[in-house]
Amino acid sequence: MDEQPRASQTVRTLLQLRELILNGELSPGERVSELGIVERLGVSRTPVRVALVRLEEEGLVDCLPTGGFVVRAFSEADIADAIQLRGVLEGMAAQRAAERRLSRDELRGLRDVVGSLDALVRQRDLTIDDFSDYIRLNDQFHGLLLQLADSPVLKRSMERVLSLPFASPGAFVRVQAELPESREILVIAQEHHRAILDAIENGEGSRADHLAREHSRLARRNLDISVKNQRQLDRVPGASLIRLRSA
Amino acid sequence: MDEQPRASQTVRTLLQLRELILNGELSPGERVSELGIVERLGVSRTPVRVALVRLEEEGLVDCLPTGGFVVRAFSEADIADAIQLRGVLEGMAAQRAAERRLSRDELRGLRDVVGSLDALVRQRDLTIDDFSDYIRLNDQFHGLLLQLADSPVLKRSMERVLSLPFASPGAFVRVQAELPESREILVIAQEHHRAILDAIENGEGSRADHLAREHSRLARRNLDISVKNQRQLDRVPGASLIRLRSA
DNA sequence: GATCGGGAAAATGTATACATTGCTCAACGG
DNA sequence: CCGTTGAGCAATGTATACATTTTCCCGATC
């Protein structure tokens, strides 16, 4: 990965530790030993401790009552809830954006992204790169939506939900790419994007809200599909943190 | 305040530092010096540092790019957004509770609280103690609602929003108590509580959602009233963190 | 054989010393 | 007189030593 020699030990430790957890090098339920991390990352206990506190607030590790931390495990229900919650928050963002009666100028960014997505989805055969582009543009769409809501409080809350990697808008796109009906799902998702933009342009707050919520149900559907196939589930970011009942 | 000699230094420091900020002994925009806190609380820098990191995640202090922390200030818009966000999250909780088709048994707690609130609101003249009881029962109602939603992810998200003290359900009740129409507002709020319970009992998810959102608008209305009167605003918990444009 | 207890090892909680960075203020030069 | 620069200082970032707690293992006992 890209080194950040300028960054402080604390920041580097946080990033590296987060990656260790997300890449599954630390298993769910496993105690995260401070000394162990110290040896692995070559920093002192102090930055490790700060990073662990931050990761606990993020929800990636849990605080043991006796002291210390363990890597958190997430059930299918947890992921479904996180996706639903993201949908609700994006609904609030879309509704606020719609009710602010934004000017053409303010909406240009969102229109451009929707336009780019249109061009992408219109293609017949989609390559792996196309899906990467889709994920990037999709993330941009959701980011712009949040920005247009103009609410730091909402932004902060959303950022916390998205710190669970499988709750992010693009989390299940790579799974979806493997499905025979993958292009159809993209067409539907893009129709949602267009409709949300239309609702915002016309000041239709409630419609924007409901569309954003419905949009998140696509991710939920992809989750349901993934659960039936471990290989697909492994394509999801942070897959190692997922613990299914059956497993 | 109540001492907790059993708790660790870290926990005590977190609680005490949070109180210092909420009571206004540290002003918004003021830099929180580690050494200063060390002297004030008589602990070493380590627990202070951990407490500051946690308070930063809570949103009560901001991280300076250059290092260190400052007490955060909240605008009227921030508070309004936090109240709206709470309404949206409570809407999701109510909807989930409704769609789970809870048994009579599971709903007993909520019914009891609504019953107690009914008895309280039915009174002619309300004393200060009555308002305290109302706040307690009201908090119970909102807590039970969250519990019935059965979603740890949602619970965590809500807890973070409520860490902004003026976003809590009871934050503006003391303000409202001073208004001539205070009892009428209580009657309306209680009608909301009854209706939310009814919607949950009947599995009407969308109705429960909309009612919970509408319910939070009462807090928003009380905020608008408070903003016009500094003395009333001072009754709100964490009042010292509020910075109005005019001031 | 299982359970309880004790003790050693290892982990975290806490304090503090050291390093480094950013800030203040004064003095100098333009 | 103002701007700039440098040194000193104060604050945070980092490392580590010490204290306390927890855990785990082993042996003794029932």
Side-chain angles (χ1 to χ4, degrees), chain A residues 32 34-35 45 49:
Chain A
V32 185
E34 284 183 17
L35 267 314
R45 282 180 60 205
R49 181 151 263 274

Side-chain angles (χ1 to χ4, degrees), chain A residues 19 44 47 50-51 69 110 149 153 162 180 186 194 208:
Chain A
E19 250 182 60
S44 78
V50 173
F69 301 87
L110 203 63
V153 174
L162 296 184
L186 244 50
R194 263 198 305 266

Side-chain angles (χ1 to χ4, degrees), chain A residues 137-235:
Chain A
L137 287 167
N138 188 46
D139 279 344
Q140 276 182 31
F141 178 88
H142 290 272
L144 283 170
L145 195 62
L146 192 57
Q147 198 178 309
L148 292 176
D150 188 37
S151 170
V153 174
L154 175 59
K155 184 158 178 281
R156 227 183 137 84
S157 197
M158 179 77 86
E159 277 163 2
R160 267 185 72 84
V161 175
L162 296 184
S163 71
L164 305 183
F166 28 69
S168 76
F172 286 92
V173 173
R174 297 230 175 268
V175 170
Q176 177 188 317
E178 298 295 307
L179 301 177
E181 67 269 34
S182 81
R183 195 175 161 280
E184 277 68 26
I185 300 179
L186 244 50
V187 168
I188 297 168
Q190 176 57 6
E191 170 61 19
H192 288 162
H193 292 152
R194 263 198 305 266
I196 289 170
L197 173 60
D198 188 62
I200 292 174
E201 285 180 335
N202 294 305
E204 300 165 331
S206 182
R207 180 181 168 216
D209 180 18
H210 286 285
L211 281 166
R213 294 201 197 194
E214 187 63 29
H215 184 57
S216 76
R217 291 198 145 265
L218 288 178
R220 170 59 195 266
R221 196 199 298 181
N222 285 331
L223 168 63
D224 291 342
I225 292 169
S226 306
V227 165
K228 293 171 186 152
N229 186 327
Q230 184 67 42
R231 202 174 312 157
Q232 289 180 330
L233 201 53
D234 285 343
R235 293 179 179 277

